[in-house]
Amino acid sequence: MRTATVISLLAVVALGGCGTSSEDELRQWMAEQNALTRPSVKPISEPKQFKPELYALSSLVEPFSSQKLTQALKRDSSQAVANGALVAPELVRRKEALESFPLDAVTLVGSLTKEGQPVALVKVDNLLYQVKLGNHLGQNYGRVMKIAETEVSLREIVQDAAGEWIERTATLQLQERSK
């Protein structure tokens, strides 16, 4: 029991040594550092004087006038007519059988010459079809423009990101049979 009393007495003495004297020194040091530190703030510059300028291009079409809007609408309508000319003939003709399949479902398996004209052999859903120049393939109004020994070239009519109808070229490559 005596050792427990000695240990507790030593603990009280040790804690007493960590008392207010070191805390007072710390507060004094912080006050000195605070007095030595001076913040440096740059003053804000004066604002520039606003000088309004006159609109010198009054002879041209004003950007917010109805005349400017009319010109833009005429330009857009002429483009729509030109783009519509690409699609209009495609919409009124009768669809061919191979236009109901996407182009990636059509496989070129060979080509031959029939009556002096090139003919491509394409396979869709395990059925074989003969395709001639001018026939239509795929769901993008694709028209066969060229038949070579190893590929078929098509002209497709598709919409671009802006919704305009454009022409693009697509090809079907001869697929080698894997064994």
Side-chain angles (χ1 to χ4, degrees):
M1 180 90 132
R2 190 163 164 103
T3 51
T5 308
V6 171
I7 292 176
S8 61
L9 185 61
L10 286 174
V12 169
V13 170
L15 286 175
C18 295
T20 59
S21 66
S22 64
E23 186 177 314
D24 290 337
E25 290 175 11
L26 181 61
R27 288 186 192 279
Q28 182 183 358
W29 178 83
M30 287 177 58
E32 289 172 6
Q33 293 301 316
N34 192 17
L36 293 174
T37 305
R38 299 281 181 228
S40 60
V41 178
K42 296 180 183 177
I44 298 175
S45 62
E46 290 289 323
K48 295 180 181 177
Q49 185 66 31
F50 175 71
K51 298 177 188 174
E53 293 193 27
L54 294 175
Y55 183 64
L57 301 175
S58 60
S59 61
L60 299 176
V61 178
E62 290 189 31
F64 302 108
S65 70
S66 60
Q67 183 182 7
K68 180 85 170 183
L69 180 62
T70 305
Q71 289 175 352
L73 290 174
K74 283 181 184 177
R75 184 176 56 246
D76 288 347
S77 67
S78 66
Q79 285 179 348
V81 168
N83 291 332
L86 284 174
V87 179
E90 299 295 325
L91 295 176
V92 295
R93 70 171 174 77
R94 188 174 186 175
K95 297 274 187 189
E96 296 180 21
L98 293 174
E99 287 184 272
S100 60
F101 302 102
L103 205 54
D104 57 354
V106 180
T107 307
L108 178 63
V109 294
S111 63
L112 54 97
T113 304
K114 189 175 182 182
E115 298 174 1
Q117 298 295 322
V119 176
L121 299 174
V122 295
K123 184 176 175 183
V124 180
D125 286 341
N126 290 327
L127 294 175
L128 200 60
Y129 295 90
Q130 293 183 15
V131 177
K132 300 176 185 175
L133 291 175
N135 285 138
H136 291 84
L137 282 173
Q139 297 174 330
N140 292 325
Y141 307 107
R143 184 178 183 146
V144 177
M145 302 306 284
K146 179 183 170 190
I147 299 175
E149 191 173 311
T150 59
E151 73 177 13
V152 173
S153 296
L154 301 139
R155 180 209 57 162
E156 291 184 322
I157 301 173
V158 295
Q159 283 186 318
D160 64 3
E164 302 292 328
W165 291 99
I166 59 168
E167 288 186 9
R168 76 173 180 196
T169 304
T171 58
L172 284 176
Q173 299 287 327
L174 180 66
Q175 300 294 314
E176 301 230 0
R177 192 171 151 185
S178 60
K179 294 184 180 183

